[in-house]
Amino acid sequence: MTKVFGIGWARTGTTTLGTCFRLLGYNHQTQDLSLVKDLAKNDLSRIMALAATKDTFDDWPWIILYQQLDQAFPGSKFVLTRRKTENWLRSYENMRATEQKTSADINEIRRILYGLPFPHVTQAQLIERYERHNAEVVNYFRDRPGDLLVVDWEQGDGWNELCAFLGRSVPDQPFPHANKGYYPAGRFSRLLRAVRARLG
């Protein structure tokens, strides 16, 4: 079976994608933070061993390993979930705000995954990292449109786009918007414009 890797940045509807994979009957693997410190040692052996046993994937560490996974599993497909930057930033900041106290271990994991100085990361750094990932993925697959699906659940993408890409029939059930939130324009839109102005 063709492997399918969800490589959208965290807080872009990756939980929804994982739910879709399960509903479609795939043997699915979601986030496994126990693998992250292997990245710091440049040791992908455990990650690749796990990848060999599953059909579909979402969240960390798969997000940032799309090039290595593409080489290790030829013929795989990739799904980039994304959303408007201001909506993503608000969702991410809401998540951080609900954390009573982030452990040193979690900050270290985030430093490895994002390449940013957690816990002292700025919103400008978060925005740049998020947008850079999306741009790099699209550029990597620019000559292989059949291997990459780009979706935005908030903009109405759903079963039709995903199932057409996977060659599956659309399930007879509503699209599972997991962890769906409402993110109206406001201060995050203004923040984004200010950050982009500073970045040039």
Side-chain angles (χ1 to χ4, degrees), residues 67-84:
Q67 296 185 39
Q68 295 91 330
L69 294 165
D70 184 36
Q71 294 167 12
F73 303 100
S76 295
K77 289 181 174 290
F78 297 81
V79 179
L80 177 67
T81 50
R82 63 184 182 185
R83 66 199 304 189
K84 290 181 180 179

Side-chain angles (χ1 to χ4, degrees), residues 79-150:
V79 179
L80 177 67
T81 50
R82 63 184 182 185
R83 66 199 304 189
K84 290 181 180 179
T85 299
E86 58 265 35
N87 293 357
W88 171 81
L89 180 63
R90 178 170 180 175
S91 178
Y92 191 81
E93 293 290 44
N94 284 348
M95 179 194 71
R96 294 179 70 195
T98 62
E99 298 173 346
Q100 293 183 351
K101 180 174 175 58
T102 305
S103 69
D105 191 49
I106 288 297
N107 280 324
E108 175 61 17
I109 285 172
R110 287 174 176 167
R111 283 193 289 270
I112 293 169
L113 293 174
Y114 283 64
L116 297 177
F118 284 92
H120 307 295
V121 66
T122 67
Q123 290 180 327
Q125 289 172 320
L126 289 170
I127 290 170
E128 189 279 333
R129 186 67 186 95
Y130 170 67
E131 295 189 335
R132 174 159 50 92
H133 173 75
N134 290 341
E136 288 174 348
V137 169
V138 171
N139 183 63
Y140 180 79
F141 289 100
R142 66 186 181 280
D143 298 323
R144 298 163 50 192
D147 295 338
L148 176 68
L149 173 68
V150 180

Side-chain angles (χ1 to χ4, degrees), residues 10-77:
R11 314 305 298 181
T12 62
T14 58
T15 301
T16 291
L17 181 63
T19 301
C20 289
F21 285 147
R22 292 187 182 95
L23 290 173
L24 291 170
Y26 289 102
N27 182 9
H28 183 66
Q29 174 64 47
T30 189
Q31 172 178 275
D32 188 342
L33 295 181
S34 71
L35 299 171
V36 172
K37 292 189 177 179
D38 291 9
L39 297 176
K41 298 182 290 186
N42 199 29
D43 180 3
L44 301 185
S45 57
R46 288 200 305 150
I47 293 171
M48 292 301 178
L50 178 57
T53 70
K54 302 285 186 171
D55 302 326
T56 56
F57 308 80
D58 78 273
D59 222 304
W60 306 113
W62 321 107
I63 296 170
I64 55 175
L65 294 175
Y66 59 91
Q67 296 185 39
Q68 295 91 330
L69 294 165
D70 184 36
Q71 294 167 12
F73 303 100
S76 295
K77 289 181 174 290

Side-chain angles (χ1 to χ4, degrees), residues 127-192:
I127 290 170
E128 189 279 333
R129 186 67 186 95
Y130 170 67
E131 295 189 335
R132 174 159 50 92
H133 173 75
N134 290 341
E136 288 174 348
V137 169
V138 171
N139 183 63
Y140 180 79
F141 289 100
R142 66 186 181 280
D143 298 323
R144 298 163 50 192
D147 295 338
L148 176 68
L149 173 68
V150 180
V151 290
D152 184 335
W153 309 135
E154 292 177 334
Q155 296 302 307
D157 292 332
W159 280 133
N160 289 336
E161 291 76 14
L162 182 61
C163 290
F165 179 68
L166 299 176
R168 294 293 189 97
S169 298
V170 174
D172 186 21
Q173 57 185 295
F175 188 75
H177 285 287
N179 294 333
K180 185 178 181 180
Y182 174 61
Y183 302 100
R187 71 183 185 89
F188 283 90
S189 297
R190 293 191 294 274
L191 170 66
L192 180 61

